[in-house]
Amino acid sequence: MNLKIRSLSLIAIVASAAALSTGTQAQQAPKPEQLIKWRQSAYQVVGWNSGRIKASLDGTYNKEEVARAAGVIAALANAGLGSLFVPGTESGKGWHETAAKPELFQDGKRVGEAAANFSKEANELARVAVVGDLATIKDQYGKLSRTCKACHDDFRAKE
Amino acid sequence: MNLKIRSLSLIAIVASAAALSTGTQAQQAPKPEQLIKWRQSAYQVVGWNSGRIKASLDGTYNKEEVARAAGVIAALANAGLGSLFVPGTESGKGWHETAAKPELFQDGKRVGEAAANFSKEANELARVAVVGDLATIKDQYGKLSRTCKACHDDFRAKE
């Protein structure tokens, strides 16, 4: 899928998440604190699995370990994390105060591109983790890591 | 896959995670607090996605929303969460004090069965979310929810 299509599908996901959230008002929409807790949890899980992949690639390579971890990251990259960054969650505390920068809620086009890059490289890593050789997997892990870093640089406040 | 094979593969995953953790001592094995934080995050992400599925099944059904959410739960069910419940993490604080009961670290056979049930029903939900009709998906979501509840009843302290 090219970037444009992925951006469009991201928009569709965010739109459908918004529609869903409207549809579930009656069942109580999640509070901002809950949404922030979920997104902080999701990125913790990405970090856990990224660390597992790095440890395996740098140490004793375990194909199944890497494939399972890459599968988790790809599933989260495809999950529609954008639905956890809705208006009203620009500040506030989940597990801790949000580290999201204001730009994350303002520059939709650039956020969409960053999210699309993350999904693209995460899906490719999940694919090559199963069918690729070690050099290809290492190369792809590097590509994925750079999408993480780029997004952190742009949209996550320094600790 | 039958339960026995799944239990064996769970053991293999835990064993390989243990081997990995040994292999990465040089890179600093994650501290108990980090492991507890990761597992608390993983179950938050499961809860987020379970809630999305329930909201969609009870409200305006969105096939893509349900499939994506079911994909996240299945990826986590296959991720080897057992590697986050290693000796040394029986107590301690991640985001909050662990709610794991002592039995979780003592009754390996029953924990293995509970984990295998969770994986089995999560994988089946991810499958029917894509290919099944709404009644089948609702039925399978019920089966998955019962594996969550059974495990919570046995191995998670009441709040």
Side-chain angles (χ1 to χ4, degrees), chain A residues 13 16 20 24 27 34 37-38 41-42 44-45 48 52 55-56 58-59 62 64-65 68 71-72 75-76 78-81 83-84 95-96, chain B residues 13 16 20 24 27 34 37-38 41-42 44-45 48 52 55-56 58-59 62 64-65 68 71-72 75-76 78-81 83-84 95-96:
Chain A
I13 295 161
S16 62
L20 178 77
T24 54
Q27 311 175 32
Q34 181 63 70
K37 195 177 274 191
W38 283 333
S41 295
Q44 276 285 321
V45 170
W48 165 43
R52 295 168 77 186
S56 192
D58 289 352
N62 180 319
E64 182 160 335
E65 170 86 1
R68 282 167 189 270
V72 173
L76 279 168
N78 297 330
L81 291 170
S83 66
L84 302 177
W95 296 118
H96 54 78
Chain B
I13 295 160
S16 63
L20 177 79
T24 54
Q27 311 176 34
Q34 181 62 71
K37 194 178 274 189
W38 283 334
S41 295
Q44 276 285 322
V45 170
W48 165 43
R52 294 168 77 186
S56 192
D58 290 352
N62 179 319
E64 182 161 334
E65 170 86 2
R68 283 168 188 267
V72 173
L76 279 169
N78 297 330
L81 291 170
S83 66
L84 302 177
W95 296 117
H96 54 78

Short mmCIF file of all heavy atoms in Angstrom, two decimals, chain A residues 13 16 20 24 27 34 37-38 41-42 44-45 48 52 55-56 58-59 62 64-65 68 71-72 75-76 78-81 83-84 95-96, chain B residues 13 16 20 24 27 34 37-38 41-42 44-45 48 52 55-56 58-59 62 64-65 68 71-72 75-76 78-81 83-84 95-96:
data_model
loop_
_atom_site.label_atom_id
_atom_site.label_comp_id
_atom_site.label_asym_id
_atom_site.label_seq_id
_atom_site.Cartn_x
_atom_site.Cartn_y
_atom_site.Cartn_z
N ILE A 13 -9.94 5.13 9.60
CA ILE A 13 -9.97 4.49 10.91
C ILE A 13 -10.32 5.51 11.99
O ILE A 13 -11.16 5.26 12.84
CB ILE A 13 -8.60 3.85 11.23
CG1 ILE A 13 -8.31 2.73 10.25
CG2 ILE A 13 -8.57 3.33 12.66
CD1 ILE A 13 -6.85 2.36 10.18
N SER A 16 -13.85 6.29 11.68
CA SER A 16 -14.76 5.25 12.17
C SER A 16 -14.66 5.15 13.68
O SER A 16 -15.65 4.88 14.36
CB SER A 16 -14.48 3.91 11.50
OG SER A 16 -13.18 3.47 11.79
N LEU A 20 -17.68 5.50 16.08
CA LEU A 20 -17.90 4.51 17.13
C LEU A 20 -18.08 5.21 18.46
O LEU A 20 -18.99 4.90 19.22
CB LEU A 20 -16.69 3.58 17.21
CG LEU A 20 -16.78 2.52 18.30
CD1 LEU A 20 -17.71 1.41 17.88
CD2 LEU A 20 -15.41 1.96 18.64
N THR A 24 -21.27 5.08 20.96
CA THR A 24 -21.21 4.43 22.26
C THR A 24 -21.33 5.44 23.41
O THR A 24 -21.05 5.11 24.54
CB THR A 24 -19.88 3.65 22.43
OG1 THR A 24 -18.81 4.54 22.17
CG2 THR A 24 -19.82 2.47 21.49
N GLN A 27 -23.07 4.17 26.20
CA GLN A 27 -22.37 3.23 27.06
C GLN A 27 -21.21 3.90 27.78
O GLN A 27 -20.29 3.23 28.23
CB GLN A 27 -21.76 2.07 26.26
CG GLN A 27 -22.69 1.41 25.28
CD GLN A 27 -21.94 0.38 24.46
OE1 GLN A 27 -21.01 -0.23 24.93
NE2 GLN A 27 -22.34 0.20 23.21
N GLN A 34 -8.46 7.60 30.78
CA GLN A 34 -8.41 6.20 30.33
C GLN A 34 -7.76 6.10 28.96
O GLN A 34 -6.95 5.20 28.71
CB GLN A 34 -9.83 5.63 30.31
CG GLN A 34 -9.89 4.16 29.89
CD GLN A 34 -9.16 3.25 30.84
OE1 GLN A 34 -9.58 3.03 31.96
NE2 GLN A 34 -8.01 2.70 30.43
N LYS A 37 -4.10 6.49 29.42
CA LYS A 37 -3.55 5.26 30.01
C LYS A 37 -3.41 4.17 28.95
O LYS A 37 -2.39 3.46 28.89
CB LYS A 37 -4.48 4.79 31.14
CG LYS A 37 -3.87 3.76 32.06
CD LYS A 37 -4.83 3.40 33.19
CE LYS A 37 -4.71 4.35 34.37
NZ LYS A 37 -5.45 3.85 35.56
N TRP A 38 -4.40 4.05 28.09
CA TRP A 38 -4.32 3.04 27.04
C TRP A 38 -3.18 3.33 26.06
O TRP A 38 -2.46 2.44 25.65
CB TRP A 38 -5.66 2.95 26.28
CG TRP A 38 -6.73 2.22 27.02
CD1 TRP A 38 -6.57 1.23 27.97
CD2 TRP A 38 -8.15 2.37 26.87
NE1 TRP A 38 -7.79 0.79 28.40
CE2 TRP A 38 -8.78 1.47 27.75
CE3 TRP A 38 -8.95 3.20 26.08
CZ2 TRP A 38 -10.17 1.35 27.86
CZ3 TRP A 38 -10.33 3.09 26.19
CH2 TRP A 38 -10.93 2.17 27.07
N SER A 41 0.07 2.61 27.66
CA SER A 41 0.24 1.16 27.73
C SER A 41 0.63 0.59 26.38
O SER A 41 1.50 -0.28 26.28
CB SER A 41 -1.06 0.50 28.21
OG SER A 41 -1.36 0.90 29.53
N ALA A 42 -0.02 1.07 25.34
CA ALA A 42 0.26 0.54 23.99
C ALA A 42 1.73 0.79 23.62
O ALA A 42 2.40 -0.11 23.10
CB ALA A 42 -0.67 1.19 22.96
N GLN A 44 4.21 1.24 25.71
CA GLN A 44 5.02 0.36 26.57
C GLN A 44 5.13 -1.03 25.95
O GLN A 44 6.19 -1.65 25.96
CB GLN A 44 4.39 0.21 27.96
CG GLN A 44 4.72 1.30 28.94
CD GLN A 44 6.14 1.20 29.48
OE1 GLN A 44 6.63 0.11 29.75
NE2 GLN A 44 6.78 2.32 29.63
N VAL A 45 4.02 -1.51 25.43
CA VAL A 45 4.01 -2.84 24.83
C VAL A 45 4.87 -2.85 23.56
O VAL A 45 5.60 -3.81 23.29
CB VAL A 45 2.56 -3.30 24.56
CG1 VAL A 45 2.53 -4.57 23.72
CG2 VAL A 45 1.83 -3.54 25.88
N TRP A 48 8.41 -2.95 24.87
CA TRP A 48 8.74 -4.30 25.34
C TRP A 48 9.13 -5.18 24.14
O TRP A 48 10.18 -5.83 24.15
CB TRP A 48 7.54 -4.90 26.09
CG TRP A 48 7.60 -6.37 26.32
CD1 TRP A 48 8.69 -7.10 26.72
CD2 TRP A 48 6.53 -7.32 26.16
NE1 TRP A 48 8.35 -8.44 26.82
CE2 TRP A 48 7.02 -8.59 26.49
CE3 TRP A 48 5.19 -7.21 25.78
CZ2 TRP A 48 6.23 -9.75 26.43
CZ3 TRP A 48 4.40 -8.35 25.73
CH2 TRP A 48 4.92 -9.60 26.05
N ARG A 52 12.69 -6.90 22.91
CA ARG A 52 12.87 -8.34 22.71
C ARG A 52 13.52 -8.62 21.36
O ARG A 52 14.37 -9.50 21.22
CB ARG A 52 11.52 -9.05 22.70
CG ARG A 52 10.78 -9.01 23.99
CD ARG A 52 9.34 -9.47 23.79
NE ARG A 52 9.27 -10.92 23.67
CZ ARG A 52 8.13 -11.57 23.38
NH1 ARG A 52 7.01 -10.91 23.15
NH2 ARG A 52 8.12 -12.88 23.31
N ALA A 55 17.22 -7.56 21.50
CA ALA A 55 18.00 -8.51 22.29
C ALA A 55 18.27 -9.78 21.49
O ALA A 55 19.37 -10.34 21.53
CB ALA A 55 17.28 -8.83 23.60
N SER A 56 17.28 -10.22 20.75
CA SER A 56 17.44 -11.45 19.98
C SER A 56 18.36 -11.23 18.78
O SER A 56 19.21 -12.07 18.48
CB SER A 56 16.07 -11.96 19.52
OG SER A 56 16.15 -13.27 19.02
N ASP A 58 20.69 -8.96 18.53
CA ASP A 58 22.06 -8.66 18.99
C ASP A 58 22.69 -9.86 19.70
O ASP A 58 23.91 -9.92 19.83
CB ASP A 58 22.05 -7.49 19.99
CG ASP A 58 21.75 -6.16 19.33
OD1 ASP A 58 21.68 -6.12 18.08
OD2 ASP A 58 21.56 -5.16 20.05
N GLY A 59 21.83 -10.76 20.21
CA GLY A 59 22.35 -11.88 20.99
C GLY A 59 22.17 -13.19 20.24
O GLY A 59 22.58 -13.31 19.09
N ASN A 62 16.61 -15.85 17.89
CA ASN A 62 15.51 -16.81 18.05
C ASN A 62 14.38 -16.36 17.12
O ASN A 62 13.71 -15.36 17.38
CB ASN A 62 15.06 -16.82 19.52
CG ASN A 62 13.92 -17.80 19.76
OD1 ASN A 62 13.00 -17.90 18.96
ND2 ASN A 62 13.99 -18.49 20.88
N GLU A 64 11.42 -17.51 16.33
CA GLU A 64 10.04 -17.47 16.83
C GLU A 64 9.82 -16.26 17.76
O GLU A 64 8.79 -15.59 17.67
CB GLU A 64 9.72 -18.77 17.57
CG GLU A 64 8.30 -18.81 18.07
CD GLU A 64 7.80 -20.22 18.37
OE1 GLU A 64 8.33 -21.19 17.78
OE2 GLU A 64 6.89 -20.34 19.21
N GLU A 65 10.81 -16.01 18.61
CA GLU A 65 10.74 -14.86 19.52
C GLU A 65 10.57 -13.55 18.72
O GLU A 65 9.72 -12.71 19.04
CB GLU A 65 12.03 -14.82 20.35
CG GLU A 65 12.26 -13.57 21.18
CD GLU A 65 11.61 -13.62 22.55
OE1 GLU A 65 10.98 -14.64 22.89
OE2 GLU A 65 11.71 -12.61 23.27
N ARG A 68 7.10 -13.37 16.90
CA ARG A 68 5.98 -13.09 17.81
C ARG A 68 5.99 -11.63 18.24
O ARG A 68 4.96 -10.96 18.28
CB ARG A 68 6.07 -13.98 19.05
CG ARG A 68 5.61 -15.38 18.77
CD ARG A 68 6.00 -16.35 19.89
NE ARG A 68 5.72 -17.71 19.47
CZ ARG A 68 4.56 -18.34 19.67
NH1 ARG A 68 3.59 -17.74 20.32
NH2 ARG A 68 4.36 -19.57 19.23
N GLY A 71 4.98 -9.42 15.47
CA GLY A 71 3.53 -9.53 15.28
C GLY A 71 2.76 -8.62 16.21
O GLY A 71 1.74 -8.03 15.82
N VAL A 72 3.23 -8.49 17.44
CA VAL A 72 2.56 -7.59 18.39
C VAL A 72 2.70 -6.14 17.92
O VAL A 72 1.71 -5.38 17.92
CB VAL A 72 3.15 -7.74 19.81
CG1 VAL A 72 2.57 -6.68 20.74
CG2 VAL A 72 2.87 -9.13 20.37
N ALA A 75 0.44 -5.52 14.95
CA ALA A 75 -0.98 -5.47 15.32
C ALA A 75 -1.31 -4.13 15.96
O ALA A 75 -2.37 -3.55 15.68
CB ALA A 75 -1.32 -6.62 16.27
N LEU A 76 -0.41 -3.61 16.77
CA LEU A 76 -0.66 -2.30 17.39
C LEU A 76 -0.54 -1.18 16.36
O LEU A 76 -1.30 -0.20 16.42
CB LEU A 76 0.30 -2.07 18.56
CG LEU A 76 -0.15 -2.75 19.85
CD1 LEU A 76 0.97 -2.75 20.89
CD2 LEU A 76 -1.40 -2.07 20.41
N ASN A 78 -1.40 -1.36 13.41
CA ASN A 78 -2.62 -1.43 12.60
C ASN A 78 -3.89 -1.18 13.42
O ASN A 78 -4.99 -1.23 12.89
CB ASN A 78 -2.75 -2.82 11.97
CG ASN A 78 -1.61 -3.12 11.02
OD1 ASN A 78 -1.06 -2.23 10.39
ND2 ASN A 78 -1.24 -4.39 10.90
N ALA A 79 -3.71 -0.96 14.72
CA ALA A 79 -4.87 -0.99 15.63
C ALA A 79 -5.72 0.27 15.57
O ALA A 79 -6.86 0.26 16.03
CB ALA A 79 -4.41 -1.22 17.07
N GLY A 80 -5.14 1.35 15.02
CA GLY A 80 -5.87 2.62 15.08
C GLY A 80 -5.54 3.37 16.36
O GLY A 80 -6.44 3.83 17.07
N LEU A 81 -4.24 3.50 16.65
CA LEU A 81 -3.82 4.20 17.86
C LEU A 81 -4.28 5.66 17.85
O LEU A 81 -4.42 6.27 18.90
CB LEU A 81 -2.29 4.13 18.01
CG LEU A 81 -1.71 2.74 18.33
CD1 LEU A 81 -0.18 2.74 18.21
CD2 LEU A 81 -2.13 2.29 19.73
N SER A 83 -7.07 6.75 17.49
CA SER A 83 -8.33 6.93 18.24
C SER A 83 -8.08 7.20 19.72
O SER A 83 -9.01 7.55 20.45
CB SER A 83 -9.21 5.69 18.07
OG SER A 83 -8.61 4.56 18.69
N LEU A 84 -6.82 7.03 20.16
CA LEU A 84 -6.47 7.33 21.56
C LEU A 84 -5.93 8.76 21.71
O LEU A 84 -5.56 9.17 22.81
CB LEU A 84 -5.44 6.32 22.07
CG LEU A 84 -5.89 4.85 22.00
CD1 LEU A 84 -4.77 3.93 22.45
CD2 LEU A 84 -7.14 4.61 22.85
N TRP A 95 -1.15 6.80 33.19
CA TRP A 95 -0.24 6.27 34.22
C TRP A 95 0.63 7.41 34.75
O TRP A 95 1.09 7.40 35.87
CB TRP A 95 0.65 5.18 33.64
CG TRP A 95 -0.08 3.95 33.18
CD1 TRP A 95 -0.13 3.45 31.91
CD2 TRP A 95 -0.83 3.02 33.99
NE1 TRP A 95 -0.87 2.29 31.87
CE2 TRP A 95 -1.31 2.00 33.13
CE3 TRP A 95 -1.15 2.95 35.35
CZ2 TRP A 95 -2.08 0.93 33.60
CZ3 TRP A 95 -1.91 1.88 35.81
CH2 TRP A 95 -2.37 0.89 34.94
N HIS A 96 0.90 8.35 33.86
CA HIS A 96 1.67 9.55 34.21
C HIS A 96 1.22 10.66 33.27
O HIS A 96 0.47 10.40 32.32
CB HIS A 96 3.19 9.29 34.08
CG HIS A 96 3.57 8.76 32.72
ND1 HIS A 96 3.69 9.55 31.61
CD2 HIS A 96 3.83 7.49 32.30
CE1 HIS A 96 4.02 8.81 30.57
NE2 HIS A 96 4.11 7.55 30.94
N ILE B 13 7.93 -21.49 24.71
CA ILE B 13 8.10 -20.03 24.64
C ILE B 13 8.71 -19.51 25.93
O ILE B 13 9.66 -18.73 25.92
CB ILE B 13 6.73 -19.33 24.41
CG1 ILE B 13 6.18 -19.73 23.05
CG2 ILE B 13 6.88 -17.83 24.50
CD1 ILE B 13 4.69 -19.51 22.93
N SER B 16 12.24 -20.50 25.96
CA SER B 16 13.10 -19.72 25.08
C SER B 16 13.23 -18.30 25.62
O SER B 16 14.29 -17.68 25.49
CB SER B 16 12.59 -19.74 23.64
OG SER B 16 11.32 -19.15 23.57
N LEU B 20 16.60 -16.59 26.44
CA LEU B 20 16.89 -15.25 25.94
C LEU B 20 17.36 -14.37 27.08
O LEU B 20 18.35 -13.66 26.97
CB LEU B 20 15.63 -14.66 25.31
CG LEU B 20 15.80 -13.22 24.81
CD1 LEU B 20 16.52 -13.22 23.48
CD2 LEU B 20 14.46 -12.55 24.67
N THR B 24 20.91 -12.44 27.47
CA THR B 24 21.01 -10.98 27.42
C THR B 24 21.40 -10.38 28.76
O THR B 24 21.27 -9.18 28.96
CB THR B 24 19.66 -10.36 26.96
OG1 THR B 24 18.64 -10.84 27.82
CG2 THR B 24 19.34 -10.70 25.54
N GLN B 27 23.41 -7.49 28.46
CA GLN B 27 22.74 -6.24 28.07
C GLN B 27 21.78 -5.79 29.15
O GLN B 27 20.84 -5.04 28.87
CB GLN B 27 21.91 -6.43 26.80
CG GLN B 27 22.61 -7.10 25.66
CD GLN B 27 21.64 -7.32 24.51
OE1 GLN B 27 20.75 -6.52 24.29
NE2 GLN B 27 21.82 -8.38 23.77
N GLN B 34 10.13 -3.36 35.73
CA GLN B 34 9.86 -3.17 34.31
C GLN B 34 9.00 -4.30 33.76
O GLN B 34 8.06 -4.07 32.98
CB GLN B 34 11.20 -3.10 33.55
CG GLN B 34 11.04 -2.87 32.06
CD GLN B 34 10.38 -1.55 31.73
OE1 GLN B 34 10.96 -0.50 31.91
NE2 GLN B 34 9.13 -1.57 31.25
N LYS B 37 5.53 -3.69 34.87
CA LYS B 37 4.96 -2.58 34.10
C LYS B 37 4.53 -3.07 32.70
O LYS B 37 3.46 -2.71 32.20
CB LYS B 37 5.99 -1.46 33.98
CG LYS B 37 5.44 -0.14 33.51
CD LYS B 37 6.52 0.93 33.47
CE LYS B 37 6.69 1.61 34.82
NZ LYS B 37 7.59 2.81 34.74
N TRP B 38 5.36 -3.88 32.10
CA TRP B 38 5.02 -4.40 30.77
C TRP B 38 3.78 -5.28 30.82
O TRP B 38 2.91 -5.20 29.96
CB TRP B 38 6.20 -5.18 30.18
CG TRP B 38 7.29 -4.31 29.64
CD1 TRP B 38 7.19 -3.03 29.17
CD2 TRP B 38 8.69 -4.66 29.51
NE1 TRP B 38 8.42 -2.57 28.75
CE2 TRP B 38 9.36 -3.55 28.94
CE3 TRP B 38 9.43 -5.80 29.80
CZ2 TRP B 38 10.73 -3.55 28.67
CZ3 TRP B 38 10.79 -5.82 29.53
CH2 TRP B 38 11.44 -4.70 28.97
N SER B 41 0.75 -3.22 31.33
CA SER B 41 0.45 -2.52 30.06
C SER B 41 -0.20 -3.47 29.07
O SER B 41 -1.16 -3.10 28.38
CB SER B 41 1.74 -1.95 29.47
OG SER B 41 2.29 -0.96 30.32
N ALA B 42 0.33 -4.68 28.98
CA ALA B 42 -0.21 -5.64 28.01
C ALA B 42 -1.68 -5.93 28.31
O ALA B 42 -2.52 -5.95 27.40
CB ALA B 42 0.60 -6.93 28.03
N GLN B 44 -3.75 -3.97 29.94
CA GLN B 44 -4.51 -2.75 29.63
C GLN B 44 -4.85 -2.71 28.15
O GLN B 44 -5.96 -2.32 27.76
CB GLN B 44 -3.68 -1.50 29.96
CG GLN B 44 -3.74 -1.05 31.39
CD GLN B 44 -5.05 -0.38 31.75
OE1 GLN B 44 -5.62 0.36 30.96
NE2 GLN B 44 -5.53 -0.66 32.94
N VAL B 45 -3.88 -3.10 27.33
CA VAL B 45 -4.11 -3.08 25.88
C VAL B 45 -5.15 -4.14 25.50
O VAL B 45 -6.01 -3.90 24.64
CB VAL B 45 -2.77 -3.28 25.12
CG1 VAL B 45 -3.02 -3.50 23.64
CG2 VAL B 45 -1.87 -2.06 25.33
N TRP B 48 -8.43 -2.57 26.50
CA TRP B 48 -8.82 -1.54 25.53
C TRP B 48 -9.48 -2.20 24.31
O TRP B 48 -10.57 -1.80 23.89
CB TRP B 48 -7.58 -0.73 25.11
CG TRP B 48 -7.75 0.12 23.88
CD1 TRP B 48 -8.84 0.89 23.55
CD2 TRP B 48 -6.82 0.26 22.79
NE1 TRP B 48 -8.62 1.51 22.33
CE2 TRP B 48 -7.40 1.14 21.84
CE3 TRP B 48 -5.55 -0.26 22.54
CZ2 TRP B 48 -6.76 1.49 20.66
CZ3 TRP B 48 -4.89 0.10 21.36
CH2 TRP B 48 -5.50 0.96 20.44
N ARG B 52 -13.33 -2.23 22.82
CA ARG B 52 -13.69 -1.78 21.47
C ARG B 52 -14.57 -2.81 20.78
O ARG B 52 -15.52 -2.47 20.07
CB ARG B 52 -12.43 -1.64 20.61
CG ARG B 52 -11.49 -0.55 21.04
CD ARG B 52 -10.16 -0.68 20.32
NE ARG B 52 -10.24 -0.19 18.95
CZ ARG B 52 -9.24 -0.30 18.07
NH1 ARG B 52 -8.11 -0.91 18.41
NH2 ARG B 52 -9.35 0.19 16.87
N ALA B 55 -18.06 -2.75 22.37
CA ALA B 55 -18.81 -1.55 21.96
C ALA B 55 -19.32 -1.71 20.53
O ALA B 55 -20.45 -1.33 20.22
CB ALA B 55 -17.92 -0.31 22.08
N SER B 56 -18.50 -2.31 19.66
CA SER B 56 -18.90 -2.46 18.27
C SER B 56 -19.98 -3.54 18.14
O SER B 56 -20.95 -3.37 17.40
CB SER B 56 -17.68 -2.80 17.42
OG SER B 56 -17.98 -2.70 16.05
N ASP B 58 -22.10 -4.50 20.45
CA ASP B 58 -23.34 -4.06 21.12
C ASP B 58 -23.96 -2.86 20.43
O ASP B 58 -25.15 -2.59 20.61
CB ASP B 58 -23.05 -3.65 22.58
CG ASP B 58 -22.71 -4.85 23.46
OD1 ASP B 58 -22.84 -5.99 22.98
OD2 ASP B 58 -22.30 -4.63 24.62
N GLY B 59 -23.12 -2.09 19.69
CA GLY B 59 -23.62 -0.87 19.07
C GLY B 59 -23.71 -1.02 17.56
O GLY B 59 -24.30 -1.97 17.05
N ASN B 62 -18.84 -2.58 13.34
CA ASN B 62 -17.84 -2.15 12.37
C ASN B 62 -16.84 -3.28 12.22
O ASN B 62 -16.04 -3.54 13.12
CB ASN B 62 -17.17 -0.86 12.88
CG ASN B 62 -16.11 -0.35 11.94
OD1 ASN B 62 -15.33 -1.11 11.37
ND2 ASN B 62 -16.06 0.97 11.76
N GLU B 64 -14.16 -3.82 10.41
CA GLU B 64 -12.73 -3.53 10.44
C GLU B 64 -12.25 -3.22 11.86
O GLU B 64 -11.19 -3.68 12.28
CB GLU B 64 -12.42 -2.35 9.51
CG GLU B 64 -10.94 -2.03 9.46
CD GLU B 64 -10.55 -1.22 8.24
OE1 GLU B 64 -11.23 -1.30 7.21
OE2 GLU B 64 -9.54 -0.50 8.33
N GLU B 65 -13.06 -2.45 12.58
CA GLU B 65 -12.74 -2.12 13.98
C GLU B 65 -12.57 -3.40 14.81
O GLU B 65 -11.62 -3.56 15.56
CB GLU B 65 -13.88 -1.25 14.55
CG GLU B 65 -13.87 -1.00 16.05
CD GLU B 65 -13.01 0.19 16.44
OE1 GLU B 65 -12.45 0.86 15.57
OE2 GLU B 65 -12.92 0.43 17.66
N ARG B 68 -9.42 -5.48 13.70
CA ARG B 68 -8.15 -4.90 14.15
C ARG B 68 -7.96 -5.12 15.64
O ARG B 68 -6.87 -5.46 16.10
CB ARG B 68 -8.14 -3.39 13.87
CG ARG B 68 -7.89 -3.09 12.42
CD ARG B 68 -8.16 -1.62 12.08
NE ARG B 68 -8.07 -1.45 10.65
CZ ARG B 68 -6.98 -1.07 10.00
NH1 ARG B 68 -5.89 -0.79 10.65
NH2 ARG B 68 -6.98 -0.96 8.69
N GLY B 71 -7.17 -8.65 16.35
CA GLY B 71 -5.79 -8.93 15.94
C GLY B 71 -4.80 -8.55 17.02
O GLY B 71 -3.80 -9.26 17.24
N VAL B 72 -5.05 -7.45 17.70
CA VAL B 72 -4.16 -7.04 18.79
C VAL B 72 -4.22 -8.05 19.93
O VAL B 72 -3.18 -8.47 20.46
CB VAL B 72 -4.54 -5.63 19.32
CG1 VAL B 72 -3.72 -5.29 20.55
CG2 VAL B 72 -4.33 -4.57 18.24
N ALA B 75 -2.41 -11.24 18.93
CA ALA B 75 -0.95 -11.06 18.90
C ALA B 75 -0.39 -11.09 20.32
O ALA B 75 0.66 -11.69 20.57
CB ALA B 75 -0.58 -9.75 18.20
N LEU B 76 -1.09 -10.47 21.25
CA LEU B 76 -0.63 -10.48 22.65
C LEU B 76 -0.79 -11.87 23.27
O LEU B 76 0.07 -12.31 24.05
CB LEU B 76 -1.37 -9.43 23.48
CG LEU B 76 -0.80 -8.02 23.31
CD1 LEU B 76 -1.71 -6.98 23.91
CD2 LEU B 76 0.60 -7.93 23.94
N ASN B 78 -0.42 -14.55 21.78
CA ASN B 78 0.65 -15.37 21.20
C ASN B 78 2.04 -14.85 21.55
O ASN B 78 3.03 -15.43 21.12
CB ASN B 78 0.52 -15.38 19.67
CG ASN B 78 -0.77 -16.00 19.20
OD1 ASN B 78 -1.32 -16.88 19.85
ND2 ASN B 78 -1.28 -15.54 18.06
N ALA B 79 2.11 -13.76 22.30
CA ALA B 79 3.38 -13.05 22.45
C ALA B 79 4.33 -13.72 23.44
O ALA B 79 5.52 -13.43 23.43
CB ALA B 79 3.13 -11.62 22.91
N GLY B 80 3.78 -14.61 24.27
CA GLY B 80 4.62 -15.17 25.33
C GLY B 80 4.58 -14.30 26.57
O GLY B 80 5.62 -13.94 27.14
N LEU B 81 3.36 -13.97 27.01
CA LEU B 81 3.21 -13.12 28.20
C LEU B 81 3.81 -13.80 29.43
O LEU B 81 4.17 -13.12 30.40
CB LEU B 81 1.72 -12.80 28.44
CG LEU B 81 1.07 -11.87 27.40
CD1 LEU B 81 -0.45 -11.83 27.59
CD2 LEU B 81 1.65 -10.46 27.51
N SER B 83 6.61 -14.86 29.84
CA SER B 83 7.98 -14.38 30.10
C SER B 83 7.99 -13.14 30.99
O SER B 83 9.05 -12.72 31.46
CB SER B 83 8.69 -14.09 28.77
OG SER B 83 8.07 -13.00 28.11
N LEU B 84 6.80 -12.55 31.21
CA LEU B 84 6.71 -11.38 32.10
C LEU B 84 6.33 -11.77 33.53
O LEU B 84 6.21 -10.91 34.40
CB LEU B 84 5.67 -10.38 31.54
CG LEU B 84 5.96 -9.88 30.12
CD1 LEU B 84 4.83 -8.96 29.65
CD2 LEU B 84 7.29 -9.14 30.06
N TRP B 95 3.23 -0.12 37.14
CA TRP B 95 2.45 1.12 37.22
C TRP B 95 1.80 1.21 38.59
O TRP B 95 1.54 2.28 39.11
CB TRP B 95 1.37 1.15 36.14
CG TRP B 95 1.89 1.18 34.73
CD1 TRP B 95 1.70 0.24 33.77
CD2 TRP B 95 2.66 2.22 34.10
NE1 TRP B 95 2.30 0.62 32.59
CE2 TRP B 95 2.89 1.83 32.77
CE3 TRP B 95 3.17 3.45 34.54
CZ2 TRP B 95 3.62 2.62 31.86
CZ3 TRP B 95 3.90 4.23 33.63
CH2 TRP B 95 4.10 3.81 32.32
N HIS B 96 1.49 0.04 39.13
CA HIS B 96 0.90 -0.07 40.48
C HIS B 96 1.32 -1.43 41.02
O HIS B 96 1.89 -2.25 40.29
CB HIS B 96 -0.62 0.08 40.42
CG HIS B 96 -1.27 -0.88 39.45
ND1 HIS B 96 -1.48 -2.21 39.74
CD2 HIS B 96 -1.72 -0.71 38.18
CE1 HIS B 96 -2.05 -2.80 38.71
NE2 HIS B 96 -2.20 -1.92 37.74
#
